Amino acid sequence: MSADTIAEILAEAKHKMDAAVEHTQGEFAKIRTGRANPQLVTDLPVSYYDTKVPLQQIAGVSVPEPRMLLINPYDQSALKEIERAIAASDLGINPSSDGQVIRVVFPELTEERRKEFVRLARERAEEGRVAIRNVRRHAKDRIESLGQKGEATEDEVHRAEKQLQDITDQHTGRVDQLLENKEHELLEV
């Protein structure tokens, strides 16, 4: 019985760590690199009929050119609110509207702005690593409690903790690799 329980704990920990890595990857996608990326604005909260909704629910976002986003509201009455939300965001971009669609042109990144984005990417990576370590700590506590209850032998607990550490190392390595790729992408001129 104890082997099944330990295997379940490890599988659950791996699943949660995978989710943490995916979340970190999604956060990296929201960091600007000088190229237009719809993920930069899709989760932007827009006031729509006195309710905050993600931009992706009220408009389509496309990339007609490498440094331009085209935002096409499903409801033209939301156009001004979408413009306001983009202008108020921390993206540092100004939207322009022709009354039908909103164009967002991304300027070339300055060296200072690139370094700021690298710092932001490092913060997001650290948040991902912290999430992974929290999953490890929770799983380790569960494994140790099995040993204390006598449901697992000391050797099984030790072996499981080593496997858990290996899984943790793999996932933090993936976050580190994602960070390295993002930094390279940001610093590429």
Side-chain angles (χ1 to χ4, degrees):
M1 178 188 140
S2 65
D4 290 340
T5 309
I6 287 174
E8 289 169 11
I9 292 170
L10 291 174
E12 182 183 337
K14 184 181 182 314
H15 176 73
K16 287 180 178 178
M17 287 180 191
D18 285 340
V21 171
E22 286 177 32
H23 177 77
T24 303
Q25 190 170 16
E27 289 297 308
F28 283 164
K30 294 176 188 175
I31 298 174
R32 224 177 100 199
T33 59
R35 287 184 223 105
N37 182 342
Q39 285 187 305
L40 291 169
V41 296
T42 53
D43 292 331
L44 205 59
V46 178
S47 181
Y48 184 64
Y49 292 107
D50 297 327
T51 306
K52 293 283 187 188
V53 294
L55 176 71
Q56 65 188 358
Q57 291 183 5
I58 59 173
V61 181
S62 60
V63 184
E65 296 174 23
R67 289 186 23 233
M68 180 192 294
L69 287 180
L70 192 64
I71 301 167
N72 191 359
Y74 303 135
D75 178 2
Q76 292 303 316
S77 67
L79 192 79
K80 289 288 181 209
E81 288 298 330
I82 294 171
E83 269 188 285
R84 221 173 270 132
I86 293 170
S89 73
D90 62 352
L91 294 172
I93 51 178
N94 291 316
S96 65
S97 167
D98 64 4
Q100 298 292 315
V101 295
I102 299 169
R103 284 178 181 74
V104 180
V105 179
F106 291 86
E108 285 291 327
L109 291 175
T110 64
E111 188 64 27
E112 182 180 314
R113 195 79 168 130
R114 287 177 192 276
K115 288 179 180 173
E116 191 177 314
F117 285 138
V118 166
R119 183 188 52 75
L120 184 63
R122 287 178 179 158
E123 286 175 14
R124 296 294 183 267
E126 185 55 30
E127 289 169 8
R129 287 188 211 100
V130 167
I132 290 167
R133 288 192 298 262
N134 285 340
V135 170
R136 178 192 63 195
R137 187 185 70 239
H138 181 69
K140 188 173 189 266
D141 291 347
R142 289 176 59 197
I143 291 168
E144 286 174 351
S145 78
L146 288 177
Q148 291 167 353
K149 292 178 189 173
E151 295 177 24
T153 66
E154 197 175 308
D155 286 345
E156 288 174 325
V157 169
H158 182 70
R159 206 172 10 259
E161 286 177 351
K162 184 177 180 340
Q163 288 176 314
L164 180 62
Q165 187 59 49
D166 290 345
I167 293 169
T168 303
D169 292 344
Q170 288 172 0
H171 286 81
T172 53
R174 284 174 48 197
V175 168
D176 292 342
Q177 184 61 49
L178 290 170
L179 174 63
E180 186 179 315
N181 294 344
K182 190 64 175 184
E183 284 180 352
H184 177 73
E185 195 177 311
L186 283 165
L187 296 173
E188 185 180 286
V189 179

